[in-house]
Amino acid sequence: METLNWVPHLPPRVRKILEILHSEGHRAWLVGGAVRDLLLGLVPKDFDIATDAPPEKIAEIFPRTVAVGAHYGVMLVVIDGESTEVATFRKDGRYEDGRHPVDIEYAEPEEDAKRRDFTINGLFWDPQTLELMDFVEGRKDIDARVIRSIGRASARLQEDALRSLRAVRFLAQLSSQGFRLDENLIQGIKRQGHLIMQVSMEKTSEEIFLILRTHQPSLALRVMRETKLFERLFQQLRGMGAEEFEHLAFAVDNAEKAWKEVTQ
């Protein structure tokens, strides 16, 4: 099993949470995007923690917590004015609203990994043993620079409709690292992309805003156009011709540069 010493890279608040949970007899592992980014040599923007401590125990251990999603086993732990997401290992029940499971069940880490969206986000790292825990072949996909769903793409996108847009957003954010979307994932987005209309405008707007903040947003817009996410989310632009789309792609890629020139 691969061992990596990332302890020096952890913010003090994250290190403290991990240490306290461990001292209380609980497993506490780094999970998701932070593990992915550290493997890529990037500086993570967020650090999420997965643990076998249930939400009520987390609230008991730490003086300041916020139950942002206690029904799903998700808590925020606040230390030094900064919050860190701490979630209990779980497996999801059935999905009915196209976004959230009706019920959850606390589970082992392997089951927790398999309910997540993409393999590159399904990795854990244990700060005690320094071992990388990979139940979904995420390490292989990171090395291959491919964004792949965990399990059958169409089914996972049907469970949570926002995953289609999240996949495109990850592509935009990781394009400078050479990432691409797995072909099965692209086909899954084409089949299940219509479900994006079930997602709140607030959530889709958050994803689009993150896409527009990437180095080359047009990469995401082109995939959105190919998979018809573009016309579903921007209905007023439905029917946009190829030339008009290229003007839009140029504009979003150069907006930040133009803004800097205007404000200097």
Side-chain angles (χ1 to χ4, degrees):
M1 194 166 289
E2 188 174 3
T3 59
L4 300 150
N5 187 7
W6 288 329
V7 174
H9 298 284
L10 302 180
R13 61 182 168 83
V14 175
R15 198 179 311 171
K16 187 174 183 179
I17 294 169
L18 291 165
E19 289 172 352
I20 290 174
L21 284 167
H22 178 71
S23 70
E24 291 286 333
H26 295 285
R27 285 175 291 179
W29 298 348
L30 208 63
V31 64
V35 180
R36 177 200 68 220
D37 289 349
L38 286 166
L39 282 170
L40 290 169
L42 304 175
V43 178
K45 292 184 174 63
D46 298 299
F47 289 83
D48 294 338
I49 294 170
T51 180
D52 56 7
E56 57 271 19
K57 185 64 176 180
I58 295 169
E60 179 185 319
I61 293 172
F62 297 97
R64 293 188 61 196
T65 59
V66 181
V68 291
H71 176 71
Y72 303 107
V74 182
M75 303 284 283
L76 290 182
V77 175
V78 183
I79 291 180
D80 298 330
E82 294 189 79
S83 60
T84 302
E85 185 176 293
V86 180
T88 308
F89 297 126
R90 74 174 201 252
K91 61 180 179 181
D92 294 342
R94 70 188 189 284
Y95 285 70
E96 287 187 351
D97 66 351
R99 279 289 288 125
H100 308 100
V102 174
D103 48 33
I104 63 107
E105 181 180 335
Y106 299 138
E108 289 298 305
E110 183 172 357
E111 294 173 297
D112 185 272
K114 290 180 178 178
R115 59 102 186 159
R116 294 175 180 270
D117 52 10
F118 309 111
T119 60
I120 62 172
N121 297 334
L123 294 156
F124 300 99
W125 175 72
D126 184 345
Q128 297 301 317
T129 65
L130 306 182
E131 291 179 338
L132 184 70
M133 318 295 282
D134 183 3
F135 303 107
V136 294
E137 298 190 328
R139 178 59 152 136
K140 183 179 74 172
D141 284 341
I142 287 175
D143 289 343
R145 298 299 194 265
V146 61
I147 301 170
R148 188 191 315 276
S149 66
I150 295 174
R152 193 162 60 88
S154 187
R156 303 317 302 275
L157 300 176
Q158 188 174 28
E159 287 176 347
D160 182 350
L162 190 60
R163 286 173 177 160
S164 291
L165 190 55
R166 279 170 57 83
V168 176
R169 190 249 295 176
F170 286 127
L171 173 67
Q173 291 177 325
L174 297 171
S175 62
S176 62
Q177 299 291 316
F179 275 80
R180 60 180 176 83
L181 292 183
D182 170 59
E183 184 58 32
N184 288 328
L185 182 52
I186 292 174
Q187 295 305 315
I189 295 173
K190 288 180 179 179
R191 286 192 294 271
Q192 305 294 354
H194 64 282
L195 298 175
I196 197 70
M197 304 308 296
Q198 299 177 10
V199 181
S200 70
M201 185 177 294
E202 176 188 7
K203 289 297 183 182
T204 57
S205 296
E206 286 176 4
E207 294 294 328
I208 291 167
F209 179 69
L210 290 171
I211 287 171
L212 292 176
R213 293 185 63 187
T214 61
H215 175 68
Q216 195 175 359
S218 64
L219 289 174
L221 293 186
R222 293 184 193 284
V223 175
M224 290 172 67
R225 187 172 169 89
E226 176 191 352
T227 58
K228 300 192 181 303
L229 282 178
F230 183 86
E231 64 182 55
R232 291 183 171 115
L233 290 169
F234 304 109
Q235 294 186 21
Q236 68 275 26
L237 300 179
R238 184 178 293 178
M240 174 182 281
E243 185 174 350
E244 294 171 300
F245 181 82
E246 290 305 320
H247 284 307
L248 174 64
F250 179 83
V252 296
D253 282 349
N254 291 277
E256 183 177 359
K257 177 183 176 182
W259 175 253
K260 288 180 179 178
E261 290 177 352
V262 169
T263 55
Q264 280 179 349

